[in-house]
């Protein structure tokens, strides 16, 4: 098997792409060489960028050992990612990079480079606002999930997707790491002993653990649709007009609302960071916090509206007019998505692995407050979600916990 390198990549492209012009000067870089803002969280795979005057490409190769951790991994994982992206491109091409080809012999696929856009997480860290972000993400999730569900597909197509996207090896990372190993996390000791003891209360509390086990059951046993399963803001590239989603190697047939919750957890962390990180003025702070809450609202409302439109237009005949069934699906999403948001945010906030959303806060005390506030929101959301009827109820919890925390300071 060929291992890609800067030295052989041009020769490789010429061999596999007949229209690739190797006479043009090419700029070649590998993810991991640039800044985190430029490269994101590319810890597992070997990813190269090739730019010429004619085109900009990304080559992604999976090898038996992960790039950073050197842990053994299934090399076939990126064929599943390629297939997931191909399906998504057929549904939401405006939100999915264009794919060139897949090389089964070397576990490599080639796609357009979307780095003409910027990684959402690091733009949010700079307090930059993208007015359409919530709408775009909600539309992307809803369309992808509806059109890969049993409510649209034939029974045979749906079963084939279930079989193809079982993705056992990659799912295990989340099934164990996010839902089980969360209780064995090394708490970020840099924030002080008081924070460490506070965070450990979660792992010692059987009530929170029970809620995670209930969510894990749904995650493992509800193959509703093809989900991204790692929908954080470092996997979303944005501009004022465009949005593209990348890194789909965790994709599997999972529960409606998981991606919705996963992304919401990231937006909640940004909100908590915005409560304490520096702004030019308090007016700027209020404006940015209002933007984040509006984005969460838009994300949920667009998801439900788009899913309804797809249902009314394209659901199988037996489901047409069954609004009670559709509403019951939405009720389940409104219950579970906030729980997934709580879990994802807790996992990143408490662990000792860097979390860029809070790492931008240089003052240690402000960082501790922001992270503590985020954990308090996670706790409240996890248990309050049973009363949620709409996304407004989730927003109310965020504002309630914030108000209580600042009164306590």
């Amino acid at each position: 098997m060929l291992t890609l390198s800067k030295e052989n990549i041009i020769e490789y492209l010429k061999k596999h792409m007949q229209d690739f012009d190797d006479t043009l000067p090419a700029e070649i870089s590998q993810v991991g060489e640039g800044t985190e803002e430029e490269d994101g969280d590319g810890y597992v795979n070997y990813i190269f960028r090739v730019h010429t005057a004619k085109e900009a490409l990304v080559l992604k190769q999976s090898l038996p050992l992960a790039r950073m951790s050197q842990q053994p991994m299934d090399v076939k994982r990126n064929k599943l990612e390629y297939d997931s992206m191909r399906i998504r491109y057929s549904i939401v091409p405006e939100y999915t990079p264009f794919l060139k080809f897949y090389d089964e012999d070397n576990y490599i696929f080639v796609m357009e480079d979307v780095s003409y856009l910027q990684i959402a997480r690091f733009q949010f860290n700079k307090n930059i606002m993208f007015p359409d972000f919530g709408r775009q993400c909600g539309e992307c999730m809803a369309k992808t999930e509806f059109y890969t569900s049993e409510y649209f597909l034939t029974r045979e197509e749906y079963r084939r997707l279930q079989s193809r996207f079982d993705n056992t090896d990659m799912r295990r990372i989340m099934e164990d790491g996010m839902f089980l190993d969360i209780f064995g996390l090394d708490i970020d000791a840099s924030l002080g002993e008081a924070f460490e003891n506070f965070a450990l209360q979660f792992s010692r509390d059987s009530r929170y653990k029970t809620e995670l086990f209930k969510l894990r059951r749904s995650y493992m046993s509800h193959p509703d649709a093809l989900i991204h399963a790692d929908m954080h803001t470092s996997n979303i590239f944005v501009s004022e007009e465009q949005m593209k989603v990348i890194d789909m190697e965790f994709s599997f047939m999972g529960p409606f609302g998981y991606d919705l919750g996963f992304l919401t957890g990231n937006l909640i962390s940004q909100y908590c960071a915005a409560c304490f990180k520096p702004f030019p003025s308090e007016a700027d702070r209020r404006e940015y916090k209002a933007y984040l809450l509006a984005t969460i609202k838009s994300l949920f409302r667009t998801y439900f509206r788009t899913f309804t439109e797809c249902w009314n237009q394209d659901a199988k005949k037996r489901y047409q007019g069954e609004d009670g069934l559709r509403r019951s699906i939405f009720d389940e999403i409104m219950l579970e998505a906030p729980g997934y948001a709580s879990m994802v945010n807790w996992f990143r906030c408490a662990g000792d692995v860097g979390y860029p959303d809070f790492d931008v806060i240089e003052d240690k005390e402000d960082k501790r407050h922001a992270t503590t506030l985020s954990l308090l929101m996670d706790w409240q959301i996890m248990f309050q979600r049973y009363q949620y009827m709409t996304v407004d109820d989730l927003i109310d919890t965020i504002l309630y916990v914030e108000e209580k925390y600042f009164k306590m300071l």
Side-chain angles (χ1 to χ4, degrees):
M1 183 178 78
L2 171 73
T3 299
L4 281 181
S5 67
K6 288 184 178 182
E7 289 70 33
N8 63 21
I9 202 166
I10 297 299
E11 180 182 352
Y12 174 85
L13 286 171
K14 183 62 178 176
K15 179 180 178 181
H16 289 81
M17 290 177 60
Q18 292 184 352
D19 62 341
F20 183 76
D21 188 348
D22 63 343
T23 66
L24 294 172
E27 180 183 341
I28 304 170
S29 62
Q30 183 175 2
V31 168
E33 295 176 340
T35 65
E36 190 176 30
E37 182 175 342
E38 294 168 330
D39 291 345
D41 300 335
Y43 301 131
V44 175
N45 298 291
Y46 292 79
I47 305 171
F48 295 85
R49 292 191 175 102
V50 178
H51 289 195
T52 71
K54 181 181 176 182
E55 56 192 339
L57 304 171
V58 162
L59 292 84
K60 187 170 185 177
Q61 182 174 33
S62 57
L63 293 177
L65 297 178
R67 182 175 68 88
M68 294 292 287
S69 68
Q70 294 296 295
Q71 293 295 314
M73 300 192 77
D74 183 2
V75 293
K76 297 179 182 178
R77 65 186 182 274
N78 77 348
K79 178 60 165 69
L80 211 62
E81 178 178 6
Y82 177 83
D83 288 344
S84 175
M85 291 183 72
R86 207 163 44 130
I87 291 169
R88 289 171 178 275
Y89 190 85
S90 71
I91 300 169
V92 284
E94 66 272 38
Y95 302 131
T96 312
F98 178 74
L99 296 160
K100 294 287 188 175
F101 69 88
Y102 181 78
D103 174 3
E104 294 192 16
D105 295 327
N106 297 298
Y107 308 108
I108 297 169
F109 70 81
V110 180
M111 65 180 183
E112 70 165 314
D113 184 8
V114 296
S115 61
Y116 59 90
L117 307 174
Q118 295 174 304
I119 298 173
R121 184 186 303 280
F122 299 100
Q123 298 309 299
F124 288 151
N125 284 352
K126 297 176 181 177
N127 312 322
I128 297 174
M129 295 178 277
F130 300 93
D132 274 348
F133 185 79
R135 179 192 65 79
Q136 291 167 329
C137 291
E139 185 176 273
C140 177
M141 292 176 193
K143 286 184 176 180
T144 301
E145 292 179 14
F146 175 80
Y147 287 110
T148 57
S149 76
E150 189 271 334
Y151 302 108
F152 172 75
L153 297 174
T154 66
R155 188 196 312 270
E156 292 72 26
E157 290 169 330
Y158 174 68
R159 294 300 182 202
R160 281 199 296 270
L161 274 189
Q162 275 188 301
S163 176
R164 177 73 185 102
F165 288 96
D166 182 64
N167 204 2
T168 301
D169 288 339
M170 297 303 288
R171 281 174 64 176
R172 185 179 294 116
I173 295 173
M174 295 295 191
E175 288 170 356
D176 295 348
M178 300 289 280
F179 294 93
L180 300 181
D181 297 343
I182 186 172
F183 303 113
L185 281 178
D186 292 325
I187 304 299
D188 185 0
S190 69
L191 295 180
E193 185 178 354
F195 174 81
E196 190 173 3
N197 291 335
F198 167 76
L200 282 171
Q201 292 178 33
F202 282 81
S203 60
R204 293 169 180 160
D205 195 296
S206 61
R207 294 169 297 173
Y208 195 80
K209 185 182 293 188
T210 297
E211 294 304 313
L212 286 185
F213 288 161
K214 288 157 67 175
L215 289 168
R216 184 175 186 262
R217 177 173 176 266
S218 181
Y219 181 83
M220 294 183 68
S221 60
H222 286 57
D224 292 324
L226 184 63
I227 65 171
H228 185 288
D230 197 23
M231 193 76 166
H232 56 71
T233 49
S234 289
N235 283 337
I236 303 173
F237 281 71
V238 289
S239 70
E240 286 289 330
E241 297 83 23
Q242 290 185 276
M243 187 274 288
K244 300 279 186 179
V245 180
I246 64 162
D247 203 9
M248 301 177 194
E249 63 188 344
F250 286 96
S251 286
F252 76 103
M253 293 293 281
F256 291 135
Y258 182 78
D259 288 347
L260 189 64
F262 205 111
L263 181 56
T264 300
N266 277 207
L267 294 172
I268 290 171
S269 66
Q270 288 288 347
Y271 184 87
C272 293
C275 289
F276 290 95
K277 66 183 178 181
F279 278 82
S281 70
E282 286 304 308
D284 290 319
R285 184 191 307 278
R286 288 193 297 271
E287 181 184 17
Y288 193 66
K289 287 167 59 183
Y291 160 74
L292 290 169
L293 295 182
T295 298
I296 293 173
K297 285 188 180 184
S298 176
L299 177 64
F300 274 78
R301 290 173 177 173
T302 302
Y303 180 96
F304 291 134
R305 182 180 67 249
T306 303
F307 196 102
T308 300
E309 291 169 355
C310 294
W311 180 288
N312 291 339
Q313 178 177 315
D314 292 319
K316 288 186 287 195
K317 188 174 180 180
R318 70 173 67 94
Y319 297 124
Q320 290 291 337
E322 296 292 339
D323 289 341
L325 171 62
R326 177 181 52 78
R327 285 195 296 270
S328 74
I329 294 170
F330 288 0
D331 288 344
E332 190 174 86
I333 292 171
M334 203 61 243
L335 171 65
E336 293 188 348
Y340 291 129
S342 168
M343 173 202 69
V344 166
N345 202 32
W346 151 253
F347 183 84
R348 290 301 305 267
C349 285
D352 62 355
V353 176
Y355 195 7
D357 300 17
F358 296 104
D359 291 344
V360 296
I361 305 175
E362 294 182 1
D363 184 272
K364 188 174 179 179
E365 188 69 4
D366 286 339
K367 181 180 177 181
R368 183 179 67 80
H369 281 307
T371 312
T372 301
L373 174 61
S374 197
L375 291 180
L376 287 170
M377 284 187 187
D378 296 337
W379 176 270
Q380 191 75 15
I381 288 168
M382 182 63 85
F383 296 101
Q384 196 69 35
R385 64 193 173 94
Y386 289 96
Q387 280 73 54
Y388 292 167
M389 301 295 292
T390 71
V391 66
D392 292 323
D393 298 322
L394 170 60
I395 299 299
D396 286 344
T397 298
I398 293 171
L399 292 172
Y400 170 80
V401 175
E402 178 191 5
E403 180 184 7
K404 288 290 185 181
Y405 190 74
F406 274 93
K407 282 184 178 179
M408 182 184 70
L409 290 181

